[in-house]
Amino acid sequence: MKRTGAWILFALLSLMLGCEYVRPTMNAPLPRWNPEHGYRFANLPPSVGSNTNSLFVVASFSGGGARASTLAYGVLRELARTPIVWEGYRKRLIDELTIINALSGGSFTAAYYALYHDRIFHDFEYRFLRKDWESELRGRILRSPSNWVRLWSPYFGRAHIFSELLDEALFEGATFNDLVSSDQRPIIFIHASDMATVSRFEFNQRQFDLICSDLSKLPLSVATASSSALPLVLSPISLKNYAGHCGFHPPSYLTAEKHTSWGRRRATELRSYLDSEKRPYIHLLDGGLADNIGMRSVLELSALVENLESSFEVLGVKQIRKLVYLMVSAETHPDVNQYKLDEIPSLERVVNALVDIPINRYSDDTFELMGQAVTQWRAQLRQRARTDTSVFTPDADIYFINASLSELEDPDEQARLMKIPTNLALTDDQIDHLLLAASKLIRNDKDFQRLLRDLEEEAARTPLISQSADALPKDSAASPGQLP
């Protein structure tokens, strides 16, 4: 009896201590602001024979659970299978992948590729895609008394446990500093959603400068867990705002008058981080709540700095000859067949609808706006003064490649793939069908075909530069154009 009472007392004390002291600080302060420090585009420069600025590829990997992760992986695999010649060098199209905007399910693929590069084609399928992460997470919660105690804390939630799982089983303790140290592109911008403003929060040092925080010390697992923290499934992850303590000077584009509603809204959202007294903490949820496609950042940055050319000047880029936007989207369409009965829909279905309806409509708007913007930008390139000192070369062109499930030509195949749930546990058959779909989407896209034709014509006019094995892209165990 005494032993039972002791255990009860121990349990109560543990719960009390858990509530009081389980309070993780996810992000570190930045002691002194340095505009050249950390994970930013300028610190991943172009390299001769590998990733250039002249062929500038910006990809976006959408949300959608493991379905999105798989589709993004399939697209990467196709880019690795696509040989090109650019500026006299034989390479693969994937070697020119410059920026990846990623969120939720797409963030796992993006982060793994940025960290390990070609290793992704050796082990990502069995390490992530063909693994039941939902069972792993449930097991970690249900079978661990220490996690029961920690979850009683108001400062600790399921997303923190998911972050720990990702850190141990996928990213092996890697931080954003490992991405800087690799000295290799692409740079990844992982997106989460700020609960207070329902706006996009990006994991890059430019965003972290606003809150005087050092992104280089943050684990990749924290960023990907934040980006995939779907309400009710995972808890939010909170970051501490250290603004005002590092000597940060806001760039002029944050304080200058804006001429568009998009620019004014984005500037207001970003300026809100500068006051740590009003905003001492930033609470993050799934990135899909602010932009489930990942291309809205392109539109908002252009609006923030007033035009397309200025958005690349912020990155320090010049002499772009071919600008490629590649959108990989595992978006779904509503299934009206789920509502045939006159019964009141279940609470689960109502909650899913509350999340899915605004995400789907927001994503449709983003896609339409992106298409219109690309058309306008092409016209602007043709009409502008031709100089050799601007961001774009006189013969520059823009391509918009849409690798979205909605673009599949076979309606039965499209319906089958869109019915795959947006969870983190897929069957082998579902994964195989998604990988096949990714290949079709890329190969059948008209702008992808146009890009390859233009690259072939360019290669025919350019002398081929002899390459030794040492000049091939790092981590590549195969010849250009082939998968390792």
Side-chain angles (χ1 to χ4, degrees):
M1 190 69 179
K2 290 182 178 179
R3 184 173 297 178
T4 302
W7 275 109
I8 293 173
L9 179 61
F10 173 76
L12 290 173
L13 288 173
S14 296
L15 289 175
M16 292 171 62
L17 291 173
C19 292
E20 182 66 26
Y21 293 110
V22 180
R23 188 170 185 168
T25 300
M26 311 307 293
N27 59 311
L30 186 65
R32 189 67 185 170
W33 174 62
N34 181 349
E36 298 178 357
H37 164 79
Y39 190 60
R40 59 183 84 236
F41 187 77
N43 290 335
L44 294 175
S47 55
V48 175
S50 183
N51 190 287
T52 65
N53 281 340
S54 53
L55 176 53
F56 203 99
V57 183
V58 180
S60 66
F61 294 169
S62 80
R67 182 180 65 199
S69 307
T70 306
L71 193 67
Y73 171 74
V75 167
L76 287 178
R77 196 172 66 170
E78 277 305 305
L79 296 182
R81 287 172 168 169
T82 306
I84 63 171
V85 175
W86 182 245
E87 295 187 342
Y89 288 92
R90 295 185 186 276
K91 60 182 73 174
R92 309 161 302 170
L93 188 53
I94 197 173
D95 299 322
E96 289 288 355
L97 186 54
T98 315
I99 296 173
I100 303 178
N101 294 298
L103 57 118
S104 196
S107 69
F108 304 116
T109 307
Y112 200 86
Y113 180 65
L115 180 63
Y116 296 121
H117 294 89
D118 279 2
R119 173 178 156 180
I120 194 174
F121 303 119
H122 297 281
D123 62 11
F124 188 66
E125 284 194 51
Y126 74 81
R127 290 196 73 191
F128 185 81
L129 297 182
R130 301 183 189 272
K131 186 174 180 179
D132 187 345
W133 288 89
E134 295 195 353
S135 294
E136 291 275 344
L137 180 59
R138 280 196 300 269
R140 199 162 264 230
I141 293 173
L142 298 176
R143 291 194 291 268
S144 173
S146 63
N147 282 334
W148 303 347
V149 173
R150 294 200 294 169
L151 286 172
W152 272 88
S153 170
Y155 311 108
F156 189 89
R158 296 178 301 280
H160 295 90
I161 297 177
F162 187 43
S163 173
E164 293 172 350
L165 176 60
L166 290 169
D167 193 57
E168 296 171 16
L170 190 66
F171 297 119
E172 301 170 357
T175 67
F176 279 88
N177 186 60
D178 292 297
L179 301 187
V180 179
S181 301
S182 73
D183 198 33
Q184 284 184 271
R185 294 179 177 180
I187 189 170
I188 58 167
F189 298 145
I190 295 175
H191 301 174
S193 297
D194 184 333
M195 285 184 65
T197 59
V198 198
S199 62
R200 189 182 68 260
F201 183 94
E202 296 183 5
F203 285 85
N204 60 60
Q205 189 55 51
R206 192 172 67 232
Q207 173 99 52
F208 271 57
D209 285 343
L210 300 174
I211 61 174
C212 283
S213 184
D214 188 355
L215 178 64
S216 65
K217 296 181 180 179
L218 191 81
L220 291 175
S221 59
V222 173
T224 51
S226 301
S227 182
S228 56
L230 191 67
L232 301 182
V233 177
L234 292 174
S235 58
I237 283 183
S238 302
L239 302 181
K240 185 173 175 56
N241 189 354
Y242 304 98
H245 296 87
C246 67
F248 171 67
H249 298 293
S252 58
Y253 60 76
L254 276 188
T255 56
E257 182 182 355
K258 306 300 172 187
H259 297 94
T260 65
S261 58
W262 274 48
R264 287 191 292 272
R265 182 174 61 249
R266 187 56 181 161
T268 299
E269 292 167 353
L270 294 175
R271 285 197 301 266
S272 72
Y273 297 112
L274 298 176
D275 191 337
S276 59
E277 291 187 4
K278 288 184 178 179
R279 299 205 62 190
Y281 295 97
I282 297 102
H283 305 288
L284 302 176
L285 282 172
D286 191 294
L289 301 175
D291 171 21
N292 201 42
I293 289 181
M295 275 296 178
R296 207 167 184 89
S297 61
V298 172
L299 298 167
E300 289 184 340
L301 179 58
S302 178
L304 182 66
V305 297
E306 300 294 297
N307 57 64
L308 179 66
E309 289 213 34
S310 296
S311 66
F312 287 96
E313 289 173 354
V314 169
L315 299 176
V317 179
K318 292 184 178 180
Q319 298 297 288
I320 297 176
R321 295 169 62 192
K322 296 191 182 301
L323 173 60
V324 182
Y325 289 112
L326 168 58
M327 188 176 74
V328 184
S329 175
E331 284 283 281
T332 62
H333 292 316
D335 184 4
V336 296
N337 292 321
Q338 296 181 8
Y339 300 93
K340 289 183 177 180
L341 301 178
D342 62 351
E343 298 176 354
I344 296 175
S346 65
L347 177 61
E348 179 183 4
R349 185 160 293 173
V350 170
V351 171
N352 288 339
L354 288 174
V355 174
D356 291 343
I357 290 173
I359 283 180
N360 288 338
R361 288 191 174 276
Y362 206 47
S363 298
D364 289 343
D365 291 345
T366 300
F367 172 70
E368 291 295 331
L369 290 168
M370 187 66 193
Q372 294 171 12
V374 169
T375 300
Q376 294 173 1
W377 292 337
R378 283 177 182 150
Q380 291 171 5
L381 287 182
R382 289 192 295 267
Q383 297 167 2
R384 70 191 172 88
R386 294 175 175 265
T387 67
D388 293 326
T389 58
S390 67
V391 168
F392 295 97
T393 62
D395 60 342
D397 200 355
I398 304 179
Y399 305 79
F400 183 32
I401 301 168
N402 184 8
S404 302
L405 291 180
S406 59
E407 296 301 301
L408 286 170
E409 296 177 355
D410 184 345
D412 293 331
E413 181 185 20
Q414 182 187 102
R416 180 174 66 251
L417 294 181
M418 284 191 170
K419 286 181 180 178
I420 296 175
T422 56
N423 56 26
L424 290 176
L426 301 183
T427 66
D428 288 340
D429 185 63
Q430 290 171 335
I431 292 170
D432 293 338
H433 278 94
L434 283 165
L435 293 177
L436 181 61
S439 300
K440 291 179 182 178
L441 288 168
I442 282 288
R443 295 296 171 185
N444 293 340
D445 184 87
K446 292 182 179 179
D447 252 21
F448 180 79
Q449 296 169 358
R450 182 170 71 92
L451 172 65
L452 294 187
R453 287 196 303 270
D454 291 351
L455 291 176
E456 289 176 1
E457 292 177 3
E458 180 74 22
R461 297 192 297 266
T462 306
L464 190 64
I465 297 173
S466 177
Q467 285 175 275
S468 66
D470 293 337
L472 294 176
K474 297 178 183 178
D475 298 327
S476 179
S479 60
Q482 295 179 338
L483 280 177

